[in-house]
Amino acid sequence: MDYLFTEDQKALVDLARKVADDHVRPVAARHDRDGTFPWEVVKVFAETGLFGVVVPELYGGLGLGVLELALVTEELSKACGGITLALAASALGMFPLLLSGNDEQKQRYLPDLAAGKYLAGFGLTEANAGSDAGAMRTRAVREGDDYVLNGAKVFITNGGTAHLYTVIAVTDPKRGSRGTTAFLVQDDFPGFKVGKHEDKMGIRASATAEIVFEDCRVPAANRIGREGEGFLIAMKTLDKSRPGVAAQALGIAQGAFDLAVEYAKTRRQFGKPIASLQAIQFLLADMAVAIESARALLYQTARHIDAGNKDVARWSAMSKLCASEVAMQVTTDAVQIFGGYGYMRDYPIEKLMRDAKITQIYEGTNQIQRAVIGNSYVKG
Ligand code: COS
């Protein structure tokens, strides 16, 4: 299938595929088993320039868009959705800066982020503010040239491994989500701490931790945009990053499909490969149709966003919803094709089913995606 990619896009996909084959796949099972962070792969992502995909060339990046980031994320996720998150979540952490940061802030942080010298993370979710992100409580109070932050953000991807976090905090409690503000918080700022590290069902190579602010002093120069713009910056960030979750889900689904086809061709029952049975072929057919539909929606969504069009929230939510549902279904069916072996940890397929599950949950549950999509059609 020709997706009308440019030669540069094809070269980027080839590069990501080579990195996935040579550096991600060989270590995926070990990091999944041990729940360890893949610093050695982060080094390769850095050396190959992959951290800089969406960073403008002016700041040392490749100056590309959501489509190219999705293509890289998809390729890497075919090998391991968890390891890929070191890169994808760094992009998520960078988006507020890219969208609303000033030039001085971009000069200060983007070159090192593009070079993969350090990672970024995104701090929105709190223990009691998940789907209802506007109910956050982390407080930022202006004191002279600083803001003083108190509170905690949970389930932060790259938590404890990132150096820079974009954090949304309440500056005016009377104004609800319109009283929130975005900040660039370094892990070496006084009062910044890493809290609980999560032990997860899937994406176990990804670091997920709580980040805590105890009278954490953040220079006012690290405020992104104006006071009161935090929630909006967060929503616009998610519009750009949700296709990344779709790409991760798509990669996981494709990875599972490829393994299922290979297995079905070699596994023999009733005297022949199970791939010759209609029961298996029908499963494979439905998986393939779902994957290609999700892929078409994702690429079209990414092109739509990169073109600067309207209604990006709707399309971003659609791509994430579709691809993550497909990933769950496809990985479940792939385990079915593997049968009893598929349920065992000796085979790589059950990991993909565990990894797929999170894509229905994070960066907005699929119930929230449906709310965003539905609302986009009925609001005045
Ligand atoms: N782009 C621009 N503006 C947006 C926007 C978007 N994508 N989404 C919301 N807004 C604006 C609204 O237009 C509204 O503006 P006004 O105050 O001028 O009317 C404002 O933001 C508040 O929006 P809304 O009333 O829809 O906010 P709610 O509190 O009802 O919540 C949802 C909206 C549920 C969509 C939001 O809380 C959400 O996305 N939740 C999930 C959070 C999430 O994804 N978390 C994952 C962790 S981050 S990895």
Side-chain angles (χ1 to χ4, degrees), residues 92 122 124-125 130-134 177-178 231-232 235-236 238-239 241-242 313 361-365 368-369 371-372 375 379:
L92 169 67
F122 180 59
L124 174 67
T125 301
S131 292
D132 187 5
S177 58
R178 280 166 167 247
F231 189 74
L232 218 59
M235 290 301 112
K236 287 183 176 165
L238 293 171
D239 289 348
S241 67
R242 282 175 179 155
I361 298 172
Y362 66 8
E363 290 197 35
T365 62
I368 289 294
Q369 309 308 321
V372 169
N375 190 41
K379 73 170 183 231

Side-chain angles (χ1 to χ4, degrees), residues 319-339:
S319 68
K320 191 271 194 192
L321 170 65
C322 174
S324 59
E325 297 290 314
V326 164
M328 199 65 244
Q329 188 59 51
V330 165
T331 54
T332 305
D333 288 345
V335 169
Q336 192 70 20
I337 289 172
F338 273 72

Side-chain angles (χ1 to χ4, degrees), residues 208-231:
T208 310
E210 181 187 27
I211 54 173
V212 182
F213 316 99
E214 289 175 0
D215 289 329
C216 176
R217 295 197 87 82
V218 178
N222 277 31
R223 188 186 71 214
I224 306 178
R226 288 196 299 270
E227 278 195 18
E229 287 183 343
F231 189 74

Side-chain angles (χ1 to χ4, degrees), residues 237-377:
T237 292
L238 293 171
D239 289 348
K240 292 239 177 189
S241 67
R242 282 175 179 155
V245 178
Q248 181 198 27
L250 179 62
I252 292 169
Q254 184 70 58
F257 180 78
D258 294 345
L259 288 173
V261 171
E262 196 185 297
Y263 184 80
K265 287 203 253 182
T266 52
R267 170 73 174 167
R268 294 179 71 85
Q269 291 290 277
F270 307 107
K272 54 192 173 193
I274 61 169
S276 66
L277 302 171
Q278 195 179 54
I280 299 298
Q281 288 185 7
F282 277 18
L283 266 180
L284 292 175
D286 287 344
M287 291 156 83
V289 171
I291 288 171
E292 292 305 340
S293 307
R295 178 171 284 127
L297 179 57
L298 169 62
Y299 293 172
Q300 205 50 32
T301 293
R303 287 185 164 120
H304 185 67
I305 294 172
D306 289 336
N309 292 338
K310 287 189 179 153
D311 294 329
V312 289
R314 171 197 296 168
W315 290 96
S316 168
M318 278 193 190
S319 68
K320 191 271 194 192
L321 170 65
C322 174
S324 59
E325 297 290 314
V326 164
M328 199 65 244
Q329 188 59 51
V330 165
T331 54
T332 305
D333 288 345
V335 169
Q336 192 70 20
I337 289 172
F338 273 72
Y341 291 110
Y343 201 71
M344 305 303 156
R345 298 230 159 157
D346 302 338
Y347 284 77
I349 203 75
E350 57 83 33
K351 169 187 181 290
L352 300 184
M353 187 173 158
R354 288 185 285 109
D355 287 352
K357 184 61 204 172
I358 191 63
T359 65
Q360 294 180 307
I361 298 172
Y362 66 8
E363 290 197 35
T365 62
N366 282 0
Q367 287 68 32
I368 289 294
Q369 309 308 321
R370 289 181 174 92
V372 169
I373 297 160
N375 190 41
S376 77
Y377 286 102

